[in-house]
Amino acid sequence: MTYFIAGTDTDCGKTFVASALLHRAKQNGTTLGVKPIASGCEVTEQGLRNSDALSLMAQSSLQLAYEQVNPFAFVPAIAPHIAAKKIGLSLTPQVIVEHLKSLPFAEVDFALVEGAGGWRLPLGEGAYLSDVVKQLNLPVILVVGVKLGALNHALLTQEALLADGIRIAGWVANIVDIAMSEPEENLASLEQMMSSPCLGIIPHLAEGDAVQAAEFLDLNLLK
Ligand SMILES: Nc1ncnc2c1ncn2[C@@H]1O[C@H](COP(=O)(O)OP(=O)(O)O)[C@@H](O)[C@H]1O
Ligand SMILES: [Mg+2]
């Protein structure tokens, strides 16, 4: 099964949770994680490299070439459609859909496609990364970065997903703000308002370790 990892925002923990989900899934089967669009890449002798893509590759049992995992890589850490425009590239849903269709997702038991930013990431020309998810009919796992303001972000994202006709397979509460007041109350409100199962609550982990984070996830709850 292949899921799209959406988040309530950039830095909400999509890569962290995706790596943890892949690690968990790897205990029972084969995995593949990809990050089709990434800005904020490093220039290396081998070409551009993005830390998100490398983290997902580290938890993938099926090893693909870097360019397969992250075909649209941009150096500046800015909105991808602006970075693409700067190098004269147009990012269309079609070209991303075609790339994803060419990948061997069917060969693994559990696959993830990490988005970029939040759900309505612009590709330019009135198109969005969400159009790709719609066209491929991928179920979504929503990562909620739990901090003050997260209830609004989570609800708006859920509303947009449902309005787009997306199936939400589950959501993960990822505690990004260690100093948040009333975390239990906020989590209880979230649990009540979200329409899909909560796959786990990941505390703020000092090391930011995906292996440790995997222990807080239950993939059996996936809808
Ligand atoms: N539960 C957590 N505990 C500790 N660090 C976290 C946690 N969730 C995210 N982080 C850290 O926060 C930063 C942003 O997370 P990341 O997964 O890169 O977000 P996104 O992929 O949504 O942009 C990273 O440095 C990551 O290691
Ligand atoms: Mg990321």
Side-chain angles (χ1 to χ4, degrees):
M1 191 70 198
T2 305
Y3 300 91
F4 182 83
I5 296 288
T8 44
D9 200 355
T10 195
D11 279 343
C12 68
K14 293 184 301 295
T15 306
F16 186 68
V17 173
S19 303
L21 287 165
L22 288 167
H23 186 77
R24 185 95 222 177
K26 209 150 56 105
Q27 292 160 4
N28 297 315
T30 51
T31 58
L32 173 62
V34 302
K35 168 91 184 174
I37 303 176
S39 54
C41 297
E42 253 184 76
V43 181
T44 74
E45 279 176 15
Q46 290 77 40
L48 295 182
R49 292 291 182 271
N50 171 262
S51 58
D52 288 13
L54 295 174
S55 298
L56 300 177
M57 287 173 86
Q59 298 300 338
S60 298
S61 55
L62 183 61
Q63 287 296 307
L64 302 181
Y66 182 86
E67 292 70 23
Q68 297 284 94
V69 174
N70 175 212
F72 306 102
F74 308 104
V75 176
I78 58 176
H81 72 294
I82 298 173
K85 202 171 166 194
K86 281 186 190 291
I87 58 168
L89 188 100
S90 90
L91 268 181
T92 62
Q94 212 44 48
V95 67
I96 302 165
V97 165
E98 288 310 320
H99 175 77
L100 289 172
K101 278 187 175 167
S102 76
L103 296 180
F105 290 121
E107 286 178 24
V108 296
D109 299 310
F110 184 82
L112 296 178
V113 178
E114 184 187 338
W119 175 242
R120 201 68 84 207
L121 179 94
L123 296 176
E125 313 272 323
Y128 298 91
L129 186 54
S130 50
D131 298 333
V132 171
V133 186
K134 278 194 252 181
Q135 281 185 41
L136 291 172
N137 205 16
L138 292 177
V140 161
I141 298 174
L142 175 61
V143 177
V144 177
V146 180
K147 57 177 186 177
L148 192 60
L151 298 182
N152 170 64
H153 288 159
L155 283 175
L156 287 180
T157 306
Q158 177 173 265
E159 271 176 39
L161 286 163
L162 295 175
D164 284 350
I166 300 291
R167 186 165 75 77
I168 310 176
W171 66 283
V172 176
N174 184 41
I175 316 286
V176 285
D177 179 8
I178 195 165
M180 187 183 184
S181 307
E182 309 290 347
E184 283 86 10
E185 296 273 311
N186 277 281
L187 286 171
S189 297
L190 267 174
E191 298 240 19
Q192 208 181 13
M193 295 188 282
M194 301 304 275
S195 62
S196 62
C198 179
L199 308 178
I201 299 170
I202 304 183
H204 194 275
L205 299 169
E207 300 296 317
D209 182 359
V211 175
Q212 205 187 336
E215 289 169 25
F216 297 91
L217 295 169
D218 185 354
L219 295 185
N220 295 320
L221 297 173
L222 273 168
K223 239 188 359 183

